Amino acid sequence: MRPIPRSLLGILLVIVALLAVFPQFVERYYVQLATKIIVMAIFAMSLDLLVGYTRLVSLGHAAFFGLAGYALAVLQRDLGLVSLWTTLPLTLVVCALAALLVGALAIRTSGIYFIMVTLAIAQMLYYFANDTKALGGSDGMFLATKPTAELFGVAIFDLKNRTTFYYFALAALVASFLVARMVLASLFGRAIDAVRCNEPRARALGFTTWHYKLAMFTIAGTVAGLAGYVGAAQDGIVNPAFLSWHQSGQALVIVILGGMGTLYGPVAGAFVLIVLEDVAAGITEHWLLFIGVFVIAVVLLLPRGIASLPLGDFAGRLFGRGARKRAAAEPGDD
Amino acid sequence: MTEPLLETRGLSKQFGGLAAVNDVSVAFEAGRVHAVIGPNGAGKTTFLNLLSGEMRPTSGAVLFKGSAITGLTPDRIARLGIGRSFQRTNVFTELTCFENCWIAAQSRLPTSLRFFRPAGRRGDLAAAARDSLEQCGLIDRQDRIAAALSHGERRQLEIAMILATQPELLLFDEPLAGMGYRESQDVIALLRRIAQSHTLVLIEHDMDAVFSIADRVTVLVNGTVLETGPVAAIQSSPAVQAAYLGAEEQP
Ligand SMILES: Nc1ncnc2c1ncn2[C@@H]1O[C@H](COP(=O)(O)OP(=O)(O)O)[C@@H](O)[C@H]1O
Ligand SMILES: [Mg+2]
């Protein structure tokens, strides 16, 4: 993994600090919009682990996003579990196991076939949810309550409060980011580098490459599950749209828009795309067209996404660090 | 004769109707340099692919230290202590020389499914990487991206990577291909040094190099072994002269 330049880490800290105080200064609507952005940011970041870091282009990543939502709903309705402390870990375990299973099938293929297999599996889940009465069919399932967070019988925070929920989502984003960074900086992360750069060479050196691809698929699916859990809890409902290829595709657009293989790029991408959607939808009913033009423009003008904007340079000057030198030492495109 | 480190028995590989490797039985003795020569299309690369697990044989067996490794995947075979280079240079082009060798050294760990501790703290792997770069004369290039190396340097990097995996047996597929005279001399010297402590299987087109490095030679023609023997015997073999060496001398 190419380490995030220190100067950029500075910027990230500033951004997190801004995000932390932001609800104090805006209307409720924007707190909810920001929460929605954070959910999408976590989801896109998890996809970046596959697309950007492992070169596994999945078009079915929403399978785990939606599965988490349904898992939460089913745990609440059928097992009467309402606590965050039980439903969150259980949901993540369900998503991890599902990702392990789906991954075991999907990583036998590569390239376009991998895209097809992941898409097909997600579509199967979509139609299963859509056609299963017990899961609410096309209407989906309502969540009777937000997850509760009690410690020794005392509520330590209340997710029914929108601002509190926003902080909860923000904590999930920061945690996802830190876990992703840890994993990418570990020995496993180096093996993933090898797989991404040249899988046949990695195998000939002695790496059992499918182990690493499957592990990454599982991690990405689990983080997507976290996003789905937060998303479903926020909306108070989960429906087949959570599982749709549209949802998978949007995450892929965000990853490409933001910059693959950066983690923070998809976060920026989620922010830009959703804010733009919000603004454009308020101006014109042809907003989808507008978004399309914007995405094309970014991809053409910034092939490596928003993350390739010289933000690091700027921060370097701001913080007086050697970001420019570092950027100059980076190799260009082939 | 010592017990062979690696041995093939009736090894064959069929591509449709073409027998690229046909009933090849060769023994590679420990501590020796064994060259495999033959005209283009003779099946040398295919033979090496069968040894390293890149391809599965149609029939026959490969034995390493007396036990069958036929049909094992390349990663399993590499972990047994068999490293290989490719005819087309095969390195991690986006990474630096140091990172290339670092990852190669990492491949020797029982598993890399280790998620928590930062890899940067593995001083042992860094040392192994530097050591192999040093041996191949690339230490002053350690921070250079592999894509920015000259062709010859990239080939040397691939050798450094293999050394970083600490193999017992090294399989080289035309390590001198496309190199200038100076670089060739460097690599020949490097191969000689490696040969002092390793067993080598060497596919090579450059006959002078082969005859100066190798102990034994196998001549492959149309997938079949024409002859195997010590260098001197091969050099003077009329059959080999006729089938291969003579043809090679006319440009
Ligand atoms: N993957 C493959 N599929 C079909 N034919 C192949 C394949 N690889 C090699 N061959 C054929 O096998 C023969 C031997 O090739 P190769 O082993 O590359 O020869 P050498 O390395 O001695 O030049 C050639 O005729 C080649 O065209
Ligand atoms: Mg060849």
Side-chain angles (χ1 to χ4, degrees), chain B residues 45 87 173-174:
Chain B
T45 297
Q87 186 166 353
D173 197 349
E174 303 201 22

Side-chain angles (χ1 to χ4, degrees), chain A residues 2 182-183 185-188 190-191 193-194 196-198 201-208 211-212 215 219 331, chain B residues 54 74-75 78-79 84 86 90-92 94 102-103 106-109 112-119 158 165:
Chain A
R2 282 201 190 287
M182 175 190 75
V183 160
S186 69
L187 283 169
F188 169 73
R190 298 294 171 95
D193 284 341
R196 177 190 66 245
C197 292
N198 187 342
R201 181 71 262 189
R203 206 182 297 121
L205 283 173
F207 288 102
T208 308
H211 285 182
Y212 306 108
I219 292 168
Chain B
E54 300 292 330
D75 49 307
R79 280 160 176 282
R84 76 162 288 181
F86 291 84
N90 201 351
V91 299
F92 301 113
E94 306 162 39
W102 200 102
I103 286 177
Q106 181 188 348
S107 72
R108 269 326 82 143
L109 300 177
S112 288
L113 289 172
R114 300 192 192 168
F115 305 95
F116 301 107
R117 262 200 306 163
E158 190 171 2
T165 67

